[in-house]
C-alpha cells in the first residue's frame, strides 16, 4: 500500500503535522457549506481505492453541522492507495469519525476537499462484477419476498416500491418511508448498498444536488436496481438461481432460513422477523452475490458473535478483491492487511496490521 498520511504526534514531523491540521481546519471550517467539495472520479482500470489529499468535514449547511452542531474536521490531507489483494481496517475511539470518513470515501458525504478515485465500469465484455458496494451497520430491508431480500438491490419487483420513471425502486421505497424529511432520507440512503456505476439508471437529484451548496453535503449517488425481478450483479451476469442462493445462505450461517420462514416467495416484515445479526448476515450474502471490485463495511458484522464474524470475513477475504472496514474488535486485524488509525484533530496513522499489533503490544506492556 502506498500512503501519505499526516504523521502522528511524537513522530518526525508530528508537530508540523498538527500545525498543518489546525491550519486546514481553520480554512475548511471557515467555508463550510461553501464551494469546497470532495471531488470524485472513476477509473475502469482501477481495482482498488485511491485517496488524493483528502480532507473531510461533517456535512453542514450555512456553517453548521447536523442537528445544529458546528462543523468538525475529520481528516486532513489524507492520501493512500489500496491495491488489489489489500484491505484496510479503520480504527479509533468512538465518535472520532471512522464511519464518517467511510461515508465520505464512499460518496455519501461531499463536504471537504481532495479527490477520491473509485473503480469504474469496465467495458461490458470484460465486466465481471459491480464496481463498489457499501454495507452499513443496519441493513436496509425493502418490501418484498425473501428472494428480494437476498438479491437486493439487484431485484426489487416492479410495483413493489412505487417506482416512478427511471428512479431506483429502492430509492422510491426510501422516499415513501422517509416521512421525517431529509434527515430520515439521508439515513436510509446510508443504509442502502452503494454500487458506483453498477446499474442501468441513477438516483441523481433524490437527496439534493450534492455539489455546491448541497443541503447537508450528502451526495445522491445510490445504485439503481434493474426492477426486472431478477438478480443482475452487473451487465452480463446471469440471475442467481435458488440453488445458488441456498448455497450462499449456508455460507453465511443461515442454512435453515428458507424452511423457517416458509419458502423463497414468502413476504414478511423482515426487519421484525430477522434479528439484527441475521440481517447483517443477509447483507454479507448480498455482498458475496454482487462480487464487487471494492467493498466498504461500516461495522457490518457488529451484531455477530466472534466465530460467525470470523467465518464471514474469511469468505470476504477470499471472494472480494479489495475492501475497507470500520470495526472495534481486535480479531478483525487478521482479516485486513493494513490499519488506518484515527489520532484526533484530523490526523490519521497508517500501519500494516503486523506493525499495528506490535505497536499495541508495546503500548500495553505485552511486548518488550
Amino acid at each position: 500500500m502506498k500512503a501519505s498520511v499526516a504523521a502522528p504526534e511524537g513522530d518526525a514531523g508530528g508537530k508540523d503535522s498538527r500545525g498543518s491540521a489546525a491550519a486546514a481546519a481553520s480554512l475548511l471550517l471557515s467555508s463550510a457549506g461553501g464551494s469546497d467539495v470532495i471531488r470524485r472520479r472513476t477509473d475502469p482500470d482501477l481495482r482498488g481505492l485511491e485517496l488524493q489529499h483528502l480532507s473531510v468535514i461533517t456535512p453542514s449547511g450555512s456553517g453548521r453541522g447536523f442537528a445544529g452542531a458546528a462543523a468538525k474536521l475529520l481528516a486532513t490531507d489524507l492520501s493512500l492507495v489500496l491495491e488489489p489483494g489489500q484491505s484496510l481496517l479503520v480504527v479509533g475511539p468512538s465518535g472520532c469519525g471512522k464511519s464518517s470518513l467511510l461515508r465520505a470515501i464512499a460518496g455519501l458525504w461531499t463536504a471537504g476537499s481532495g479527490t477520491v478515485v473509485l473503480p469504474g465500469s469496465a467495458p461490458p465484455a470484460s465486466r465481471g462484477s459491480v464496481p463498489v458496494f457499501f454495507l452499513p451497520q443496519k441493513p436496509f430491508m425493502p418490501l418484498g419476498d425473501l428472494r428480494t431480500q437476498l438479491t437486493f438491490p439487484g431485484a426489487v419487483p416492479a410495483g413493489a416500491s412505487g417506482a416512478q420513471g427511471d428512479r431506483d425502486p429502492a430509492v422510491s421505497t426510501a422516499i415513501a418511508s422517509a416521512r421525517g424529511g431529509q434527515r430520515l432520507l439521508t439515513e436510509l440512503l446510508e443504509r442502502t448498498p452503494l454500487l458506483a456505476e453498477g446499474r442501468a439508471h441513477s438516483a441523481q437529484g433524490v437527496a439534493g444536488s450534492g455539489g455546491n451548496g448541497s443541503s447537508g453535503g450528502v451526495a445522491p449517488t445510490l445504485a439503481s436496481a434493474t426492477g426486472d425481478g431478477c438478480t443482475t450483479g452487473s451487465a452480463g451476469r446471469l440471475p442467481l438461481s435458488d440453488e445458488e442462493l441456498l448455497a450462499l445462505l449456508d455460507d453465511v450461517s443461515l442454512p435453515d432460513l428458507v424452511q423457517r420462514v416458509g419458502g423463497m416467495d414468502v413476504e414478511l416484515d423482515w426487519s421484525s422477523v430477522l434479528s439484527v445479526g441475521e440481517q447483517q448476515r443477509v447483507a454479507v450474502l448480498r455482498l458475496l452475490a454482487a462480487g464487487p471490485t471494492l467493498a466498504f463495511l461500516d461495522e457490518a458484522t457488529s451484531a455477530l458473535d466472534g466465530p460467525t464474524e470470523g467465518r464471514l470475513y474469511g469468505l470476504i477475504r477470499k471472494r472480494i478483491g479489495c475492501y475497507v472496514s470500520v470495526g472495534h474488535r481486535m480479531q478483525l486485524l487478521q482479516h485486513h492487511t493494513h490499519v488506518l488509525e484515527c489520532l484526533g484533530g484530523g490526523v490519521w496513522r497508517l500501519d500494516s496490521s503486523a506493525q499495528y499489533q506490535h505497536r499495541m503490544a508495546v503500548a500495553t506492556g505485552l511486548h518488550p
Side-chain angles (χ1 to χ4, degrees), residues 34-47:
S35 60
D36 286 339
V37 296
I38 298 169
R39 295 177 295 279
R40 300 169 52 77
R41 63 183 178 87
T42 59
D43 181 350
D45 297 322
L46 183 67
R47 310 305 295 170

Side-chain angles (χ1 to χ4, degrees), residues 299-313:
E299 299 193 57
T301 56
S302 60
L304 303 179
D305 58 77
T308 302
E309 180 180 59
R311 173 183 172 88
L312 296 191
Y313 261 99

Side-chain angles (χ1 to χ4, degrees), residues 99-296:
S99 294
S100 301
L101 177 65
L102 204 67
R103 292 186 184 106
I105 295 172
L108 294 167
W109 288 5
T110 63
S113 61
T115 302
V116 175
V117 187
L118 296 170
S121 297
S126 61
R127 186 189 304 177
S129 68
V130 296
V132 183
F133 205 94
F134 186 87
L135 256 62
Q137 184 176 20
K138 174 63 176 173
F140 180 62
M141 309 300 289
L143 300 175
D145 57 23
L146 179 58
R147 189 178 290 101
T148 297
Q149 303 308 312
L150 302 181
T151 57
F152 180 79
V156 178
S161 59
Q164 296 179 358
D166 65 354
R167 177 176 291 165
D168 180 352
V171 174
S172 298
T173 302
I175 293 172
S177 303
R179 292 189 175 89
Q182 177 68 36
R183 185 173 179 181
L184 281 179
L185 177 55
T186 297
E187 178 184 350
L188 285 167
L189 290 173
E190 291 176 359
R191 287 171 50 194
T192 308
L194 176 77
L195 307 170
E197 296 187 1
R199 302 294 175 187
H201 308 299
S202 71
Q204 297 296 326
V206 173
S209 62
N212 300 349
S214 171
S215 174
V218 179
T221 53
L222 185 68
S224 173
T226 59
D228 56 6
C230 66
T231 312
T232 54
S234 69
R237 294 186 65 185
L238 295 175
L240 290 176
S241 67
D242 284 357
E243 289 74 19
E244 289 172 310
L245 291 175
L246 289 171
L248 286 169
L249 282 167
D250 188 61
D251 286 342
V252 300
S253 302
L254 289 172
D256 303 322
L257 180 60
V258 175
Q259 182 179 5
R260 193 182 96 201
V261 302
M264 285 283 191
D265 300 318
V266 172
E267 295 189 20
L268 298 172
D269 181 356
W270 299 106
S271 294
S272 299
V273 170
L274 301 180
S275 68
V276 175
E278 289 173 326
Q279 292 177 43
Q280 289 188 343
R281 279 178 274 176
V282 166
V284 172
L285 183 153
R286 296 168 180 169
L287 169 65
L288 298 175
T293 303
L294 172 66
F296 297 99

Side-chain angles (χ1 to χ4, degrees), residues 89 91 280 299 301-310 326-334 336 356:
L89 179 62
V91 302
Q280 289 188 343
E299 299 193 57
T301 56
S302 60
L304 303 179
D305 58 77
T308 302
E309 180 180 59
V326 169
H328 294 282
R329 295 172 181 165
M330 290 295 289
Q331 77 165 28
L332 290 177
L333 288 171
Q334 64 184 301
H336 296 79
Y356 178 80

